Amino acid sequence: MSTAARRALVLAATAPVAGAMLAGPSFAADKTAAAATVGSPDAAGTLSDADRAMAAKLGERVNNPSLTNDGSSVSGVVLDSASDEVIWGHNASTALMPASNAKLATATAALDEMGPEHRFTTKVVYSNGTLTLVGGGDRTLSSDELGEMARTAVDGLKAAGVTNVKVRIDDSLFPEPTLAEGWRTDYYDDQVAPVRALSVDGKLSADTALDAGKVFATKLADRGVTVDGEVTRGTAGVGDVPVAQKVSPTVREMVRTMLKTSNNAMAETLLRMTAIEAGQPATFEGGTAAVRQVLGERYGIPLDNVVLHDGSGLSRATRIPAATIAAILDNATEPRNQYTLGPILEGLPVAGEAGSTLGPEYARFDDPNSKCAVNKVRAKTGTLTGAIALSGVTQGKDGRWKVFSFVENNSTAENSEITDAMDGLAATVNGCWA
């Protein structure tokens, strides 16, 4: 089987298969037809009739007044996934605020640097009458899991005749939190929390580590151990005795969740864990340096005009052209990258998928022009004040897989009008809005 055919089947294999919402005509449509039509558009490298028609429609629709008056503040590109041929482009190399489309870069680096099956460990250690809860970068840690760790710790304490302890937290895996370049102070605690190595229940607060320590202390008390004083912050010693631990879901699962729900806190935590794995400081600067190294040096993705300041895309100083975002996605469709980067395709929200950022609760793909693309488009959203993005994959009218990226900045229209226009562009790529 040719490389192009294998790539088409990789894309087909990542299609949603479960749930009534995704039943019927699906993103994967016809695997056999997709595999049969792969290859370059033709020997001369010219576009198919379907692609020419699609490109013409995009050329008209990118000038939608809801996006911009003259199209100058939109960066867009559509690629043929099998051949990598550019089907359509509009200011494709113009660097704009990508909003949460930056999470695609973070996901690529995290998966490549740590591996899809890597897990993080939260520990409890004991020394001299003190239990220390040690953060390991797990943003999925829950109150129930802290309760299980408390139960294990209490069993050991009681066996040793210990009934009174002090509790402290150790979140020293990451340095003291700071704002990223381009972050607004009002992002706390609405969009993201100060980035710490310990948290509980995914909550956003000024001190997620202290919150986790308090929950842990309560769980200990519930099991009959007296906690002396308030929860404090400290650093576990090398000689402290391990008494309990919790292992996180895999990086694969975290990336899926992070992309599906556009979880900012998880993106920033993954950025720091990636930095540590790459031998960089666990900071915004260390993390973005690791991302650039993975994208540029390992995958050859062009980074001209790319400026990164965080892992979530909240930074208003970050700039990424649509051409680079599309290259990141196209890289994930390569058969040789399926094991490592496949979770990116799996984590992309599906048009109309409840619980994702393309779900009906966000009024996406629900207008007359784009609703035909429900279940047929898989894409990462991005939303900041003055920036809307949508980048993903879909099977075109000719049965071939397309990679697209659209980034808009500074439209004065209502967000709902902008997202409707963006969804319409994706439906145009799919071909259902002819």
Side-chain angles (χ1 to χ4, degrees):
M1 185 182 293
S2 69
T3 298
R6 288 197 302 272
R7 185 187 296 187
L9 289 176
V10 167
L11 280 166
T14 65
V17 295
M21 165 62 76
L22 304 179
S26 73
F27 174 75
D30 186 338
K31 297 180 186 179
T32 304
T37 59
V38 295
S40 61
D42 64 28
T46 57
L47 298 180
S48 67
D49 289 344
D51 281 347
R52 278 196 295 271
M54 178 248 287
K57 289 296 183 183
L58 287 173
E60 298 170 5
R61 292 167 182 170
V62 75
N63 291 306
N64 186 319
S66 294
L67 296 176
T68 179
N69 290 328
D70 59 4
S72 62
S73 295
V74 178
S75 178
V77 68
V78 180
L79 309 176
D80 182 280
S81 176
S83 68
D84 295 335
E85 182 166 6
V86 177
I87 298 169
W88 175 85
H90 180 88
N91 299 326
S93 61
T94 299
L96 299 175
M97 278 189 292
S100 285
N101 273 207
K103 292 182 173 74
L104 295 167
T106 303
T108 300
L111 288 163
D112 183 90
E113 197 67 57
M114 294 183 283
E117 304 308 317
H118 187 78
R119 299 172 186 266
F120 310 143
T121 302
T122 305
K123 300 182 295 184
V124 178
V125 297
Y126 176 81
S127 178
N128 298 322
T130 299
L131 285 176
T132 304
L133 179 64
V134 184
D138 180 6
R139 279 292 307 180
T140 73
L141 187 67
S142 69
S143 294
D144 288 344
E145 288 164 338
L146 283 175
E148 283 301 303
M149 295 174 73
R151 179 188 61 77
T152 302
V154 167
D155 289 346
L157 292 173
K158 289 184 175 179
V162 178
T163 57
N164 291 67
V165 293
K166 294 180 180 179
V167 173
R168 66 179 178 181
I169 52 172
D170 179 353
D171 61 349
S172 60
L173 183 64
F174 300 166
E176 186 68 20
T178 62
L179 288 167
E181 178 73 22
W183 275 22
R184 300 189 329 205
T185 55
D186 62 0
Y187 288 163
Y188 293 157
D189 301 314
D190 178 40
Q191 300 295 321
V192 71
V195 188
R196 302 181 188 275
L198 181 61
S199 62
V200 61
D201 296 328
K203 293 179 179 178
L204 304 181
S205 68
D207 196 332
T208 61
L210 186 59
D211 290 346
K214 290 177 178 179
V215 170
F216 181 64
T218 298
K219 299 293 185 181
L220 291 172
D222 290 344
R223 293 186 174 275
V225 169
T226 300
V227 176
D228 295 331
E230 299 295 323
V231 176
T232 60
R233 184 174 258 107
T235 303
V238 293
D240 289 6
V241 179
V243 295
Q245 70 174 31
K246 158 63 173 57
V247 178
S248 76
T250 63
V251 169
R252 173 190 300 274
E253 295 170 279
M254 290 185 178
V255 162
R256 288 172 180 162
T257 299
M258 183 260 288
L259 294 176
K260 191 76 71 176
T261 62
S262 206
N263 188 306
N264 295 319
M266 190 170 288
E268 298 303 344
T269 302
L270 284 172
L271 184 76
R272 279 158 177 71
M273 297 304 287
T274 300
I276 291 170
E277 191 70 20
Q280 297 276 1
T283 61
F284 292 111
E285 295 78 11
T288 54
V291 171
R292 295 187 72 93
Q293 181 178 28
V294 169
L295 295 181
E297 297 181 18
R298 298 189 188 173
Y299 292 108
I301 292 172
L303 298 178
D304 297 341
N305 304 323
V306 172
V307 180
L308 300 175
H309 287 291
D310 63 8
S312 62
L314 284 173
S315 173
R316 303 188 62 79
T318 287
R319 297 289 185 272
I320 309 178
T324 301
I325 298 171
I328 291 170
L329 280 168
D330 191 48
N331 187 53
T333 72
E334 293 279 0
R336 64 177 178 270
N337 298 331
Q338 180 180 7
Y339 171 75
T340 302
L341 302 182
I344 292 174
L345 299 179
E346 297 162 6
L348 293 177
V350 178
E353 179 185 12
S356 80
T357 55
L358 284 183
E361 58 268 48
Y362 291 98
R364 299 304 297 262
F365 289 88
D366 64 351
D367 80 341
N369 297 327
S370 63
K371 64 182 180 181
C372 63
V374 166
N375 295 340
K376 299 176 183 178
V377 168
R378 184 185 285 267
K380 181 70 195 76
T381 57
T383 306
L384 281 177
T385 301
I388 302 288
L390 187 68
S391 303
V393 291
T394 189
Q395 195 172 25
K397 194 172 184 178
D398 57 3
R400 299 168 62 84
W401 293 102
K402 319 296 179 185
V403 177
F404 64 86
S405 178
F406 305 113
V407 184
E408 174 281 324
N409 282 187
N410 302 320
S411 171
T412 57
E414 295 292 328
N415 270 14
S416 59
E417 297 174 355
I418 301 170
T419 54
D420 282 348
M422 285 286 201
D423 295 348
L425 294 180
T428 304
V429 177
N430 175 263
C432 68
W433 184 24

